[in-house]
Amino acid sequence: MTTMTDQARLLKTAIPGPRSVALHEARAQQVARGFGITMPVFVDHADGALLVDVDGNRIIDMGSGIAVTSVGAAAPQVVERIAEQAAKFTHTCFMVTEYEGFTEVAAALNRLTPGDHEKRTALFSTGAEAVENAVKIARAATGRPAIVVLDHAYHGRTLMTMTMTAKNVPYKEGFGPYAPEVYRAPMAYPFRYDGDEKACAADALAKLKDLVLTQIGAHNVAAIVAEPIQGEGGFVVPAEGFLPGVVEFAREHGILFVADEIQTGFARTGRMFACEHEGIVPDLITTAKALAGGMPLAAVTGRADVMDAVAPGGLGGTYAGNPVACAAALGAIETIEDDGLVARAAEIERLVKPRLEAMRAESGGRIGDVRGRGAMLAIELVEPGTTNPAPQYAQEVAAHCHREGVLVLVCGTYGNVIRLLPPLVISDALLEDALDVLATAVRSLA
Ligand code: PLZ
């Protein structure tokens, strides 16, 4: 990997520095306030796992722009392919005239996603758009209306995907009425279940079956949509056996299983796709984020018979599968495969998880849970010795890290989870430095 920036954290000013503060004030006069902000620093350039701000501070990126820049913020193969494609043409609209990049990305997704059945892929621009289209395709293929989702789910901000998302504030408040025919089943959330993991999985599965069979009617359900590890909802790893049980139940009733791998996909969890951890083969899979190394590109990939239930003209969008974004995706996929980033994500888990466990041991019961897979890891903060969510601790820990130049993200239905999503190209040294800062932040809660 070539890097232009000295790969070490550096604080030149307080964070945010004076230039960032001034730019943030100017922003407030121009930009709708509906956009929140995690860390109000303005980025000048970024390299590998470092963000360099306009005040010259070098910040360790433990968020990857929410699981997007897995190959780094300016990966050479991504940058080169973007430049090459942009110089040739930036857009034709794939529904007007064709280009090879679209087919090549589709072929890569058909090859890489779980299952060796015949597949087809449709490309879009955003994750929410991919989920919306998965719903359209599932309805067209089954002729059924209902969609089942889980507690703590996040699927996007458009009308349908906002409806599918569980959390009210900030995603849904004031934006109703919501789309019809969306039903929610409990999630098998081991930390918040009174009993062992096996019972947790069995209980949640029984409740989902009951919802489908008694309240909706299985013959009315087009699809069950689930994230194999929940992202915004708190990095919840479903109790082992729950998702395979859901898939089996779905198959019995002609219901499609849609895996939303928008956050978990492309090596993030130590497998190319998180479904692989439990041997799940979804009928449809949605991807976005890390797919194109920072360019807006999303996809629905799935069984050829299901995908082709939609007639020509039924899918599309002006920018769907934009050629520059497709070029970026080919560069990102090449980087993931050539640089062994699936294995690297697993290695990151082996390095980080024991350190998070050590933080828990000395947290005075404030870290209730350490969980996740690969480079998608989190700590859940609670009132000492209980399972009562402590969002104020998450805010304090995040603020401490941000002041020290380590960008961490908060998530969770209760806002009490600190999540780590470093670029997979991060060095061990940068990771250790970020974890030292996090450990100090947790210690200072006491
Ligand atoms: N499905 C599983 O994680 C996006 C949302 C950030 P878009 N997650 C980050 C925010 O607050 O808007 C996401 C996801 C899963 C779907 C989506 C939606 O992807 O590209 O943001 O539309």
Side-chain angles (χ1 to χ4, degrees), residues 366-389:
R366 288 177 180 81
I367 296 180
D369 198 20
V370 171
R371 58 174 179 255
R373 295 191 205 272
M376 183 173 185
L377 300 167
I379 53 177
E380 177 158 0
L381 294 154
V382 291
E383 301 293 349
T386 72
T387 58
N388 302 335

Side-chain angles (χ1 to χ4, degrees), residues 3-49:
T3 50
M4 298 175 299
T5 308
D6 191 6
Q7 289 285 307
R9 182 168 58 104
L10 176 70
L11 297 184
K12 283 195 169 166
T13 68
I15 291 188
R19 295 192 65 191
S20 276
V21 170
L23 289 169
H24 190 74
E25 279 164 13
R27 156 198 162 139
Q29 302 307 310
Q30 308 298 338
V31 179
R33 69 188 187 101
F35 280 77
I37 179 70
T38 299
M39 189 172 176
V41 299
F42 279 72
V43 172
D44 179 73
H45 61 282
D47 186 12

Side-chain angles (χ1 to χ4, degrees), residues 66 126-128 154-157 171 227 232 260 262-263 289:
I66 323 190
T126 69
Y154 184 91
H155 297 294
R157 290 177 180 267
Y171 307 122
E227 300 153 86
E232 306 307 305
D260 181 347
I262 286 165
Q263 189 150 165
K289 291 188 184 280

